[in-house]
Structures are given as C-alpha cells and as structure tokens.
Amino acid sequence: MQAEKTTSARIGAFWRRYDIALVGSAVFVSILLITILASAVAPDDPMARDIKNRFAIPSAENAFGTDQLGRDVLSRVIYGGRPILSASFTAVICALAAGTIIGVSGGYLGGWLDTALMRLMDVMLSFPSILLAILIVATLGLGLLNVTVAIGFSMVPIFARLARSIVITLVYEEYVTAARSLGASDPHIIRKHILPNMMPPIIVQASAMLAVAIGTASALNFIGLGVEPGTPDWGMMVAEGQRLIFDAPHVPLFPGLAITITVLSVNYMGDGLRDHLDPKLRRRDF
C-alpha cells in the first residue's frame, strides 16, 4: 500500500511538473499518427472534386466543409500534414547530423580548422533563416525535396555553434583528460565521452528547430516554392484559401489551425524536454 502511494505521489508530481509538456506531446503524437494513417482516417479522397457541393459550410457530411472545387477540407487537412512534417523531420535530422559533425570537428581539433568552419557558419548565420531558405529554393528550383534541403541547410550553423560550445567545455573535463592520458584515440574519446554528454542539449535544440522547420516549410509552401499547386498541404491550402477569407473562412481556417496547433505542441514538448534533461532545472523529488 505504501509503495502504491509513493508511486501515485511520484506520478502526480511528474504530471504537475510536466503537465503542459505531456499534453503537447500527446497532441503532437496524435497529429503524427493521424497523418501517417491518413489513408485510413480521412473520410474522403483529398483530390476528389464535387463542383456542385463547392463552398459547403461545415456539417455532419463534411466536418470542415468543402473548398472552391468541392473537395473535402477535413480530408485535405489530414493529408496536408504529410509534406510539411516529412520535410521538417528530414531537414532537422540532416541539419543535426551535419551541424554536430562540424561543431565537434572544430571544437575538438581547434586551430585553423575551427576558425575556418566557424567563420563559414557566421556567414550563414548572417542571413535570416527564412531568407536563406528562399534563396536556396529559388536557386535549386521548386519541389518538396529542395524545400527540405533549404530548411536543413539554413539550420546547420545553429547546431554547429551549439555543438562546438559544448565540446569546448567537455574537452577539459577530467574524464576526457584521463581517457587521453590512458592512450585513448580521438575517435574513441569523441564516441564514448563527448557525444553521449552533448546529446541532451542537442536533442532539446532539435525539438525547438522542429517547430521552426514546420513554420518555415509552411511559409515556403504558402508562397508557392514547395509542393505543386493543388497538392494537399497546410501551407498551400492557406494560400489557396486566403482570397476566400470573407466568403468561405473555413477553407483557410482549418489548415491554419493545424499549423498553429502543431507548432505549439512541438514547442511545449521541447520545453518539457529542456526542463527534464537540464540538471539545473530538473527536480529530483519525484
């Protein structure tokens, strides 16, 4: 009985500490599952047209109404998360990998390599990320793949600077010095001692960058630099429905809400990860 009370107390304390983060995580996971299972969840074909039923208001038959071509808005919102979320996840993962390699190389090896890499990162950081992404897409051409490359490339210096700052601190820790004095090679030290200890802040940064990536991907699709017109995509749907804001406000409203809820849920999830992984913020009285 006492053990059950202790467990309940810890669960209650954990919930009070991370309530918003847990809700945000649950919402984001739900959005991911709905998006992945879109073909089974969506009530209709997102590309099916019914001109006679165009601009139908939300009803029992069409929960989110229909758009200017009579397409079911709910089905398009469900499918519309696929391009944005896939591009955002891929961009963040690639930026994390590239930025970590650059930051660890510069911070651990130092010297001219560190100077050259960081000056290059400074040049990239001098451009606003959205402007740099637009420049890259305009250079490479339209398409979701190019959007992914643009977003990932614009985020590399953020991860690189963070990784370097962490590595510069870790290389002077006693356990790294001890490993080096015992004859451990640089790859071994980086793999066994540097990377494991730098992952928590990197993961927290990745969650924050995921929210930024979702917003950037939506913006690029909104201005027509991403998916093809007519493709179910939240940003594209808002762009197509903006001129209908007074006549059929439900057309841009629901994809806009999907973007907002997704970004907020990721931000709340990231805040919870930061509080839990940062030893200065984490409570140990669960």
Side-chain angles (χ1 to χ4, degrees):
M1 183 65 69
Q2 185 65 32
E4 292 180 0
K5 290 183 178 179
T6 302
T7 302
S8 299
R10 289 183 176 180
I11 293 175
F14 188 84
W15 170 257
R16 288 191 297 272
R17 174 65 173 170
Y18 302 113
D19 51 355
I20 297 180
L22 291 173
V23 171
S25 300
V27 171
F28 184 62
V29 170
S30 299
I31 292 173
L32 282 180
L33 290 176
I34 291 173
T35 303
I36 293 172
L37 302 174
S39 57
V41 175
D44 201 357
D45 182 351
M47 301 300 292
R49 302 183 181 187
D50 185 5
I51 302 299
K52 295 180 179 180
N53 195 34
R54 62 198 301 261
F55 295 133
I57 62 174
S59 61
E61 183 179 356
N62 300 104
F64 287 1
T66 61
D67 62 9
Q68 66 275 18
L69 297 176
R71 299 172 296 191
D72 182 56
V73 175
L74 174 58
S75 299
R76 291 180 64 77
V77 168
I78 292 175
Y79 275 90
R82 285 185 170 182
I84 287 179
L85 293 178
S86 62
S88 300
F89 269 107
T90 305
V92 171
I93 292 173
C94 293
L96 185 153
T100 300
I101 292 173
I102 293 172
V104 170
S105 300
Y108 188 84
L109 298 177
W112 66 268
L113 178 63
D114 181 39
T115 301
L117 290 176
M118 290 307 106
R119 295 298 77 77
L120 177 60
M121 297 299 103
D122 289 341
V123 171
M124 294 174 63
L125 283 173
S126 65
F127 293 90
S129 58
I130 183 65
L131 181 60
L132 182 59
I134 292 175
L135 178 63
I136 295 172
V137 173
T139 302
L140 298 178
L142 306 182
L144 190 62
L145 177 60
N146 293 338
V147 167
T148 304
V149 172
I151 296 174
F153 187 81
S154 66
M155 291 182 174
V156 168
I158 298 174
F159 286 104
R161 299 290 297 189
L162 176 61
R164 176 182 179 272
S165 66
I166 298 172
V167 171
I168 288 177
T169 302
L170 292 178
V171 292
Y172 296 106
E173 293 290 338
E174 293 181 356
Y175 54 85
V176 175
T177 304
R180 188 180 291 113
S181 65
L182 292 174
S185 63
D186 289 339
H188 177 83
I189 293 174
I190 293 174
R191 185 176 66 256
K192 294 294 185 179
H193 301 289
I194 300 295
L195 289 179
N197 288 286
M198 67 183 294
M199 278 300 104
I202 293 292
I203 292 173
V204 172
Q205 185 65 51
S207 66
M209 289 296 98
L210 179 60
V212 175
I214 293 172
T216 304
S218 301
L220 291 175
N221 290 333
F222 176 83
I223 61 179
L225 295 179
V227 298
E228 295 292 332
T231 303
D233 174 89
W234 293 339
M236 180 63 69
M237 291 173 67
V238 174
E240 293 176 345
Q242 64 176 332
R243 67 180 185 278
L244 307 171
I245 189 65
F246 296 109
D247 299 322
H250 62 275
V251 176
L253 173 63
F254 291 110
L257 284 177
I259 297 172
T260 303
I261 293 173
T262 303
V263 171
L264 284 176
S265 65
V266 173
N267 280 328
Y268 287 138
M269 182 176 66
D271 289 344
L273 282 174
R274 180 200 60 196
D275 294 345
H276 185 68
L277 295 176
D278 191 336
K280 295 180 181 179
L281 299 176
R282 184 175 62 230
R283 293 181 180 179
R284 301 180 182 274
D285 54 352
F286 294 129

